[in-house]
Amino acid sequence: MKAVISIDQGTTSTRVVVMTEDGRLAGSAQREHRQYFPQPGWVEHDPLEIWENTRELTGLALTRARLRPSDVAGVGITNQRETTVLWDSVTGRPVHRAIVWQDTRADELMDRLKADGHEDAVRARTGLPLASYFSAGKINWMLDNVPEAGELARTGRLRAGTMDSWLLWNLTGGPDGGIHSTDVTNASRTLLMDLETLDWDDDLAKLFGIDPDLAAGMLPRIHPSVGEFGTIVGAEPLSGLPVCGILGDQQAATFGQAAFNRGDVKNTYGTGCFLLQNIGTLPEISDHGLVTTVAYQVEDGPAYYALEGSVAVAGSLVQWLRDNLGIIRTSEEVEALAGSVQDNGGVYFVPAFSGLYAPYWRPDARGLIAGLTGYATAGHIARAALEATAYQSRDVLEAVVADAGQRPEELRVDGGMTVNDELMQFQADILGVPVVRPELVETTAVGAAHAAGLASGVWRDLDEVAGLWREGRRWEPVMSTRDRDRLLGHWEQAIQRSLGWAEQD
């Protein structure tokens, strides 16, 4: 029986999964990595730590699966998108820590470009708003603030990419001939790729302070998501295996949810929350605060696009309750604490720690807890924190409905937070739409495995891949329209009160 390996490089950890051709998870290994917060709004990772974790976890996952490298047909990669690293192609050393997608240090640049009237043209070409969330501002900051980056760029030694490119380059030889490529889904999150041509755009590079003549060597080659990228060299026990699938994490979850048809919608609940709707082979631009992104592309086929709404803080809010407030000792305790009260007690939590993403795009927003009275307890705060994820997801889905003109028949969900049954019921209630969880909830890793298996011949086509998806549980909405409207009215008031805080600093 053939197997595929999926390397899932996430915001807080890296996980390696082994999947067999019958769709079974045979083994996995996971390790957390450090996050650095050198200044308010700055978030960084150590790329070398992530690479070393990846090397060690692949062997451990294979051992747990009781499989040999000869049993593996191919390797897939999925990664936190937008997170950006620059490195020296001769030494293999990063010139700076990776700047994470949540980082806001490029806000000033984006504000300046907006003031100069560039936003509409950039959105029309890339599908994205001018926001520090995306990679171009991070590259610009490192070129301007890290002297080594500018020096290496001028000599042609500098490489820039998202985390998939960093891992691929290292897996395929690093300084000894490593392949510098990315896939269309990750490239579509940079503010540097034209959505229609699926290639880097010189005018966009100039706008973000990147010399187009240097960009040709600095930026990775853009490749379809499903297809062979290169052969692994020296990274035992994977040496000799092909890397044949790369997808950004949310696109990988879309692939793992078998959302291959126009109108299919999925929502992933992880560090952040990300809702994507397949819109087919034409890159439609949203009128309601969503971004347009590439969903996936199979080699020799057209690119499929999606409308996406991104929520910055979801599962990371539970970590904040644990690490900053100390009202829970482990993340798993939040469900019991939230369940210790009947309702939210009038408490609402807007977790705008780094501003609000879709559909608001308000970097000036800041987090707040509203509706506190003497009656409120830690249980009410915990419940409000969980409900915030459902409310934010509802805001994004309403934007999807406004763009598409119709409400989806169901919402497929995945990610770590979906194990919370009470949260999923509340999500169905506040949406008024059935919520469906698959048997395998970690569909990000599953999607990258499916991509690699499709490219390496483990599965014949998308229909066979879609047949691997199986429903695990379904929640139907039961809340009355009156109660839903009352709760949403208070949530919208809380959102309005969160706006404008950063301008008062």
Side-chain angles (χ1 to χ4, degrees):
M1 179 177 288
K2 275 296 183 182
V4 287
I5 288 179
S6 170
I7 299 170
D8 181 0
Q9 194 285 299
T11 303
T12 59
S13 66
T14 298
R15 185 182 184 210
V16 176
V17 165
V18 182
M19 174 173 276
T20 53
E21 60 186 299
D22 60 357
R24 180 177 58 89
L25 292 182
S28 68
Q30 184 168 341
R31 183 172 298 165
E32 291 189 355
H33 51 253
R34 282 193 63 185
Q35 294 190 80
Y36 299 86
F37 304 94
Q39 294 186 34
W42 290 26
V43 190
E44 298 175 352
H45 289 154
D46 179 355
L48 292 173
E49 178 189 15
I50 290 170
W51 166 232
E52 286 305 315
N53 286 350
T54 302
R55 285 174 59 95
E56 295 173 13
L57 291 170
T58 50
L60 184 56
L62 265 178
T63 299
R64 289 176 176 173
R66 298 182 179 180
L67 293 173
R68 298 164 299 180
S70 59
D71 297 318
V72 179
V75 176
I77 297 172
T78 181
N79 57 289
Q80 51 172 319
R81 305 167 305 171
E82 301 93 21
T83 296
T84 304
V85 59
L86 271 59
W87 70 94
D88 183 341
S89 62
V90 173
T91 67
R93 302 289 301 182
V95 303
H96 191 272
R97 288 182 189 144
I99 300 180
V100 178
W101 58 274
Q102 299 153 309
D103 191 281
T104 61
R105 73 188 69 186
D107 278 352
E108 185 177 339
L109 168 65
M110 298 303 168
D111 289 342
R112 187 167 67 249
L113 293 174
K114 290 176 189 175
D116 291 342
H118 293 291
E119 178 141 43
D120 289 345
V122 169
R123 185 187 288 272
R125 193 168 297 187
T126 68
L128 310 175
L130 284 168
S132 57
Y133 176 26
F134 305 107
S135 302
K138 306 177 197 306
I139 296 173
N140 174 280
W141 187 91
M142 285 189 271
L143 288 173
D144 284 353
N145 292 277
V146 182
E148 185 184 3
E151 294 167 8
L152 291 172
R154 286 188 290 274
T155 62
R157 288 171 51 174
L158 189 68
R159 299 293 180 266
T162 42
M163 296 304 293
D164 60 303
S165 295
W166 167 248
L167 292 179
L168 177 68
W169 185 80
N170 279 287
L171 284 166
T172 55
D176 298 320
I179 293 169
H180 191 38
S181 292
T182 189
D183 92 298
V184 286
T185 68
N186 279 290
S188 74
R189 312 297 296 189
T190 61
L191 282 171
L192 297 171
M193 189 192 84
D194 186 305
L195 266 185
E196 294 188 358
T197 66
L198 303 180
D199 205 353
W200 303 121
D201 185 283
D202 286 351
D203 291 337
L204 291 169
K206 289 178 187 176
L207 186 66
F208 291 102
I210 303 169
D211 185 334
D213 292 333
L214 301 179
M218 184 192 313
L219 297 175
R221 184 175 70 89
I222 301 174
H223 191 283
S225 314
V226 181
E228 190 162 336
F229 287 80
T231 301
I232 296 175
V233 176
E236 298 296 343
L238 304 184
S239 187
L241 294 175
V243 176
C244 43
I246 294 180
L247 291 152
D249 53 7
Q250 301 314 314
Q251 285 91 340
T254 303
F255 211 82
Q257 288 277 30
F260 301 137
N261 299 313
R262 179 179 171 87
D264 289 347
V265 184
K266 74 88 196 175
N267 197 25
T268 297
Y269 300 74
T271 302
C273 218
F274 304 89
L275 188 147
L276 274 75
Q277 181 188 49
N278 186 324
I279 58 172
T281 57
L282 295 177
E284 303 166 8
I285 303 301
S286 170
D287 293 322
H288 298 90
L290 303 174
V291 307
T292 305
T293 191
V294 180
Y296 64 88
Q297 184 185 22
V298 177
E299 198 164 42
D300 298 325
Y304 280 75
Y305 297 88
L307 292 176
E308 176 181 335
S310 304
V311 172
V313 178
S316 57
L317 182 55
V318 176
Q319 296 171 339
W320 186 84
L321 294 179
R322 180 194 67 194
D323 299 338
N324 292 45
L325 292 193
I327 66 173
I328 52 175
R329 290 174 299 173
T330 67
S331 297
E332 291 73 20
E333 291 178 5
V334 72
E335 185 171 5
L337 182 57
S340 68
V341 294
Q342 295 271 328
D343 54 36
N344 65 13
V347 178
Y348 293 80
F349 201 144
V350 180
F353 294 159
S354 54
L356 289 171
Y357 287 5
Y360 304 100
W361 297 108
R362 291 291 297 265
D364 60 317
R366 287 297 178 265
L368 61 80
I369 302 175
L372 290 173
T373 65
Y375 171 72
T377 66
H380 293 113
I381 292 174
R383 190 179 187 95
L386 291 179
E387 289 182 353
T389 294
Y391 287 127
Q392 291 178 101
S393 295
R394 177 263 177 189
D395 291 345
V396 171
L397 185 65
E398 289 304 311
V400 166
V401 171
D403 275 323
Q406 64 181 39
R407 192 168 296 275
E409 295 182 0
E410 64 183 26
L411 177 67
R412 290 188 174 184
V413 299
D414 55 79
M417 295 183 78
T418 63
V419 300
N420 188 324
D421 293 342
E422 190 167 349
L423 173 60
M424 292 298 99
Q425 181 60 59
F426 185 77
Q427 183 70 90
D429 286 339
I430 215 67
L431 293 178
V433 169
V435 166
V436 183
R437 183 178 67 198
E439 285 185 1
L440 299 176
V441 298
E442 295 298 341
T443 55
T444 302
V446 169
H450 286 174
L454 184 60
S456 60
V458 175
W459 299 295
R460 292 187 307 275
D461 51 32
L462 289 178
D463 288 339
E464 187 173 6
V465 170
L468 299 172
W469 186 93
R470 292 182 289 271
E471 182 174 316
R473 182 166 176 183
R474 177 180 293 262
W475 290 267
E476 298 286 344
V478 295
M479 182 181 289
S480 70
T481 300
R482 179 181 177 183
D483 286 344
R484 183 186 302 123
D485 290 346
R486 174 178 55 82
L487 292 170
L488 290 173
H490 288 308
W491 167 253
E492 289 162 5
Q493 289 181 51
I495 285 286
Q496 291 304 311
R497 284 161 172 75
S498 76
L499 304 178
W501 282 95
E503 295 177 353
Q504 300 173 26
D505 289 350

